[in-house]
Structures are given as C-alpha cells and as structure tokens.
Amino acid sequence: METVYFNGELMPKSEVRISPDDRGFLFADGVYEVTPAYQGRLLGLEAHLDRFARGLGALRIEGDTTAALAGVCERLLEANGLDDEDGAYVYLQATRGVAPRGHAFPVPSVTPTVYGFARRIAWWSAERWERGARAVVVPDVRWARADIKSIALLPNVLAQQAAVDAGVDDAILVRDGIAREGSHANLFAVLQGALVTHPCNHEILAGITRAFVLDIARDLGIPAVERPISLQDLDAAEEVFLTGTTTEVRPIVEIDGRPVGSGRPGPLTHALYLGYRQLAQSALPPTLVGG
Ligand code: PDD
C-alpha cells in the first residue's frame, strides 16, 4: 500500500480526494519539486525546498507550504520502506487550491493543495551508461518562465514523446538556434576541453544537479563557462551530457542520428558522473547546495 502526503497528513494513496475544482487540475496552477534519495538520504534537499519556495513566491501561492516539508520527505521515504533503498525520489507538488473556475486568483484566498509521494527509481547501470543516450532536437515551445518549475509540462511531455516516437532517449529543446536544456534535465557540452552550459536565467530551470556538477568540476579543476550553447557548438562538441535529479549525469552520444565526438561517453562526462555518484553515496550531509 502506497503512503502519500496530502494536505498535512500521511495517508494511503487510495484515500486522497482531490476536487475537480482544484486549480492544478483546471489551470495547471502550481509548482512541483523532485528530490533524489540515495540509501534514504535526500540529496540537496535544502536547495530543492528553496527552489520550491521561490516557485511558489513567483506564482504568489501563499501559505505555510514549505516549512514542514523537509520532515515530510523523510517520513515519505520511511513510510514506503525506501529509506534503505539504493535509489528513490520524493515528489512534492502544491497548487493554488480549490475554487470555482475563474482565471484570477480566488477571493477570498484559498488554502493550497499539497501532495507528495516517494518512489523507487532504478538509476542507469554502468553498462547502460556506457552505451550512452541518443537524443533528438525539438523546438522549445515553452512559456517565457522556464525557471519556474511549473506543473504545466505539456511542452516537456510533447518533447519527450517526440524522443520516444523517434526511438531515442531524450529531446534537446532549441530556440533561436540555442540548445537550452533537455525535456527534463539540463544540458552541458564540452568544447575545447571546457564545460559549457546555459546560464541560469528565465530560459532554463536552474537545476540542482547542474549546480552540483559545476561544483564538482571546480573541485576537479575542469574549466566551466555558463553561456548559451548554439547548434554549431552542439555539432562541434567533444562531449554532451544531461544532468538532473532522475537523470544524474548522463552522456549523450548521438544527436539527430549523428555521433557526438567519438560516439562514446567522454572522459569529462565520466569524471563528473563519478564525482556526482560519490557525492550521492557519501554518508556526509552535502555541504554543496545548488541553486
Ligand atoms: N526535472 N530542466 C528541466 C526542464 C527539468 O524538468 C529538470 C528536472 C531539470 C533538472 O533539475 P534538477 O537537477 O534540479 O532535477 C532541468 C525533474 C526531475 C522532473 O520533471 O522529473
């Protein structure tokens, strides 16, 4: 029986009742967050909860939604027997709440709907990782606030489906000749030995894994620059990889049917992946906080 969190309580998933008037259902009026857990230890939880709070603030969703959620994440792992699992993640979502349909915020204001669950995830095996991921390029048709982790994910859904339809693993979102990120992960390229990744602005999600990887690169002495990646850069890149909570550090070895570099995961991707796995498995609480 799956135990979930709903509006202040842990309960069996079957007991959750969500109104059809919930603004999440009617307007996708809400934000979400996904935090990874390795052997029951949540990685970067503080940074994830900060981003959640920032998203709620940007959408002006009020209420005491983030304060108690750190404990909730741990209790969700425990209640579902995931506290000693190798891989799991905790999903949290808050919507503006329940009110008869109308575009503007409800008056008087309503209490946000908060939902959370924990789930096992199988990270890619070493063998799968060595084969790498294949990707297609798709137009980025998202709204102008990709920095908000909105539950309105239709462009991301369509992008990932385009990848599935093409028989590959992921999609790279491109706008105005710039490769911004993956359908649910950030994008890095290696150009002349240096890491390049899109700067954190309204055009991408400021990934927590991205921030960890930049910290690890600095520790390893790998040069990194935050600037847009053009399609030409992508063509010329020695290595390309994705970073994300459910993606970890994942090499892309083929884009639109053409090999990236040697067509195999490259040395910098490998070093950063090992660094990330080490951080994830470490018994120490992370001193690195992304954001
Ligand atoms: N996706 N960019 C986008 C568009 C994302 O949806 C995500 C995360 C990331 C990576 O962010 P982080 O490293 O903080 O997970 C980048 C989550 C995991 C999802 O939708 O499942």
Side-chain angles (χ1 to χ4, degrees):
M1 180 190 65
E2 188 178 348
T3 299
V4 302
Y5 174 82
F6 184 61
N7 289 345
E9 285 175 63
L10 290 193
M11 61 175 73
K13 188 176 178 182
S14 57
E15 285 176 18
V16 173
R17 295 285 174 271
I18 296 176
S19 165
D21 280 340
D22 194 282
R23 291 179 62 96
F25 182 57
L26 294 174
F27 292 110
D29 186 353
V31 291
Y32 75 107
E33 196 51 63
V34 188
T35 306
Y38 291 80
Q39 273 121 35
R41 193 173 64 77
L42 289 146
L43 179 65
L45 179 60
E46 197 185 326
H48 282 278
L49 290 179
D50 275 0
R51 185 172 64 189
F52 194 51
R54 282 201 306 279
L56 291 168
L59 300 186
R60 294 162 58 199
I61 294 179
E62 281 160 19
D64 184 24
T65 30
T66 51
L69 289 178
V72 166
C73 291
E74 271 157 28
R75 283 163 61 211
L76 275 173
L77 289 173
E78 214 177 284
N80 289 287
L82 299 170
D83 43 346
D84 56 3
E85 278 298 320
D86 186 37
Y89 68 81
V90 176
Y91 176 97
L92 294 172
Q93 158 171 336
T95 75
R96 196 175 307 279
V98 178
R101 189 177 185 278
H103 283 68
F105 299 170
V107 179
S109 65
V110 290
T111 310
T113 304
V114 186
Y115 175 62
F117 65 81
R119 184 166 293 173
R120 185 165 290 134
I121 181 166
W123 311 119
W124 271 19
S125 65
E127 188 200 31
R128 180 67 192 88
W129 195 94
E130 286 300 337
R131 290 207 305 278
R134 295 182 299 149
V136 284
V137 161
V138 302
D140 184 358
V141 297
R142 293 175 301 169
W143 71 327
R145 291 299 307 273
D147 56 317
I148 298 174
K149 207 162 166 56
S150 155
I151 58 171
L153 285 172
L154 198 46
N156 309 65
V157 166
L158 293 176
Q160 186 57 29
Q161 189 57 39
V164 169
D165 292 345
V168 300
D169 304 289
D170 213 321
I172 296 173
L173 310 181
V174 173
R175 184 118 143 208
D176 301 329
I178 301 298
R180 290 179 170 174
E181 55 185 330
S183 72
H184 56 285
N186 291 112
L187 182 73
F188 284 72
V190 176
L191 286 150
Q192 298 182 324
L195 289 183
V196 183
T197 194
H198 199 289
C200 283
N201 58 17
H202 61 278
E203 294 167 341
I204 66 159
L205 186 78
I208 311 301
T209 321
R210 173 191 180 281
F212 278 135
V213 164
L214 286 172
D215 283 341
I216 294 163
R218 198 194 47 229
D219 290 349
L220 295 177
I222 300 170
V225 39
E226 295 178 61
R227 65 149 174 91
I229 301 169
S230 68
L231 282 177
Q232 291 86 327
D233 289 335
L234 213 53
D235 262 351
E238 295 120 55
E239 305 178 31
V240 174
F241 62 90
L242 295 168
T243 65
T245 290
T246 54
T247 307
E248 302 188 301
V249 176
R250 182 170 294 178
I252 295 185
V253 296
E254 184 188 297
I255 300 173
D256 282 346
R258 289 194 304 275
V260 174
S262 65
R264 313 204 32 191
L268 296 194
T269 311
H270 195 247
L272 291 164
Y273 172 62
L274 289 184
Y276 180 74
R277 287 298 298 210
Q278 227 162 38
L279 173 75
Q281 307 283 354
S282 122
L284 297 166
T287 51
L288 303 162
V289 279

